[in-house]
Amino acid sequence: MQFVEQPADILARLDALRAADAPTHGGHVLSYVYDSGLAELDELAAAAIRVVQPVNGLDPTTFTSVAVMEGEVVGFARDLLGGDDDVVGSVTTGGTESCLLAVKTARDLWSGSGRPRLVAPVTAHAAFQKAAHYFGLDLDLVPVEQDGRVDAATLIARLGPDVALVVVSAPSYPHAALDPIEAVAAAAAEWGIPCHVDACIGGWVLPFWPGLEPWDFRVPGVTSISADLHKFGYAPKGVSVLLQRGRDRQRAQFFATTRWPGYPVVNPTMLGSKSAGALAAGWAITHALGRSGLAELAASCERSTVALISLIDSIEGLRVVGTPVGPLIAVATDATAPAHRQVDPHHWADQVRAHGWLLQLQPGLVQSDGTQLPPTTHLTITPVTEGVLADLSGALVTAADEMRGVPGVAPADVFGALPHDLVASLSSPDAPPLDSATAFAILAGIGLESSDAGGLPDRMAPFLALVAALPAPLTERLLTELVARVVEPR
Ligand SMILES: *Cc1c(COP(=O)(O)O)cnc(C)c1O
């Protein structure tokens, strides 16, 4: 066959495209990527992916390698998370899929009438909002305290016969708060309500974190746990586990049908045909690292986290939110400092970025009880952080010095570019849905139309101010437009 383009040219172009990405190695991106710092581990993962490249993970009875690898990964995770042999599980393509399936399972097992309700702290990952939307549950989001932790009694007071599932996090993504899992799971068990622990980010690192109260299957009443191998399991993207206590519970996760003229379908997860690549990579990594390797990497994360918490707390005008549990930190303005000495966390993140480090901006939130969670900046710490700690610390301090006293972006500054009556009419509850041309024109009006390379502006603080200021449905529509346009053919 004469190819239209030559493989070497195609790969050269891919290399050029990759060079424009945020760096996936080296510790300069403090979210999205989880770098063990061990090149041999990346190579092992790549080799494992290559071996199973042609396999269809749809059918572990035809491709028996999939059954063996999945069983071993689930077994490893079960031991790690305190499960006995009543705990079974599935490998999924990621945290979102694990969370979706936990909710789907609970909905299908719920025997009440009317609409089922999902109760979770407002800090529960957005995947649970998606799950409630996809699977038709009412979402009951419970306000959290200023330290990001939900009060057990407040959450427990929301339980009732219409609740199909209660979700708690170990820890939460926004603030690294470990929810009061023992108390919530015990109350849920009394009601006969299943309790899911979302350990997508913590599942492969908290087992090695010192001084924690029990939060896994050792806690009676915990019925399922999600834990992502593609986070602190250091696997490439596309692999997570969902463990369920009780075979009968887990069987409700499956979809099976023989009612079509094709092959009998039995899907434990959302996809049909699927890659076995990330499973093979995750499997290989768990075998290479074992518990001792994971423990060593967790210890490195912990040393860096402790150092960064004390550094950030020593920066005038900033503070660490609550008591982070695990290798992630949320940073907010220290409102006890005089106004001219305060540091806005989003200006700080933008300035840290100018120094070559990518932090993640998180918007503030008005909770359902009217209390306000402040805007924050998120850092995820990985093993590779330790080797760059001095440089990173320098950038964090310098950026704070450069931004100290600069007030946060006021919504009026962002809306300035938009006609006032347009904002008012768009924000009205009975405004018609935005068409994509109008949405795009608004994005352009505020300077947010994406560049040719699809990247976002250097300064994200104005963007986050917009997210916080506009009504959520409008922002969500604008963000949909932004992301949809990014991938449109050019
Ligand atoms: C990352 C994460 C998820 C979602 O996982 P994806 O792999 O991004 O789909 C869910 N919950 C928590 C706590 C997470 O950190």
Side-chain angles (χ1 to χ4, degrees), residues 94-97 99 125 127-128 171-173 198 200-201 228 230-231:
T96 297
E97 192 183 10
C99 297
H125 194 277
F128 292 98
S172 72
Y173 186 88
D198 180 11
C200 277
I201 200 158
D228 294 351
H230 66 201
K231 287 180 181 158

Side-chain angles (χ1 to χ4, degrees), residues 207-418:
F208 311 103
W209 214 255
L212 302 189
E213 59 204 68
W215 57 272
D216 59 12
F217 280 114
R218 277 163 274 241
V219 177
V222 168
T223 51
S224 55
I225 301 183
S226 48
D228 294 351
L229 273 150
H230 66 201
K231 287 180 181 158
F232 287 98
Y234 311 104
K237 290 294 177 264
V239 58
S240 168
V241 290
L242 172 61
L243 301 179
Q244 306 242 29
R245 198 196 299 269
R247 285 177 178 75
D248 291 326
R249 165 174 311 287
Q250 195 234 11
R251 301 319 187 229
Q253 176 192 311
F254 282 58
F255 177 82
T257 185
T258 51
R259 286 170 255 183
W260 77 309
Y263 58 89
V265 165
V266 186
N267 292 159
T269 62
M270 313 262 299
L271 301 187
S273 288
K274 60 184 177 187
S275 167
L279 164 63
W283 170 84
I285 289 171
T286 58
H287 277 277
L289 289 177
R291 287 179 89 103
S292 59
L294 286 169
E296 218 177 286
L297 294 171
S300 167
C301 292
E302 200 226 337
R303 287 190 296 272
S304 300
T305 304
V306 168
L308 284 170
I309 289 173
S310 93
L311 175 87
I312 291 163
D313 271 336
S314 77
I315 298 177
E316 186 186 10
L318 287 176
R319 68 182 171 92
V320 169
V321 177
T323 311
V325 175
L328 38 159
I329 303 175
V331 182
T333 298
D334 178 6
T336 65
H340 73 284
R341 303 299 295 165
Q342 294 181 5
V343 179
D344 174 72
H346 293 169
H347 284 324
W348 178 62
D350 282 343
Q351 194 63 19
V352 171
R353 180 169 169 195
H355 290 282
W357 305 82
L358 205 58
L359 313 183
Q360 196 173 49
L361 292 78
Q362 303 186 129
L365 184 77
V366 180
Q367 307 193 86
S368 58
D369 63 356
T371 58
Q372 194 132 11
L373 297 174
T376 56
T377 285
H378 174 108
L379 291 78
T380 294
I381 291 98
T382 63
V384 83
T385 308
E386 200 165 22
V388 295
L389 201 50
D391 286 352
L392 172 62
S393 302
L396 299 182
V397 170
T398 305
D401 290 343
E402 289 163 348
M403 288 292 119
R404 188 164 293 111
V406 180
V409 178
D413 301 345
V414 195
F415 297 148
L418 292 175

Side-chain angles (χ1 to χ4, degrees), residues 26-72:
H28 281 251
V29 176
L30 289 105
S31 57
Y32 304 112
V33 290
Y34 300 75
D35 187 357
S36 68
L38 303 171
E40 318 92 279
L41 218 52
D42 288 345
E43 259 148 53
L44 172 64
I49 288 171
R50 178 120 217 176
V51 174
V52 299
Q53 184 172 307
V55 164
N56 190 345
L58 168 69
D59 186 357
T61 66
T62 302
F63 301 101
T64 52
S65 63
V66 172
V68 173
M69 289 188 292
E70 181 157 356
E72 291 184 10

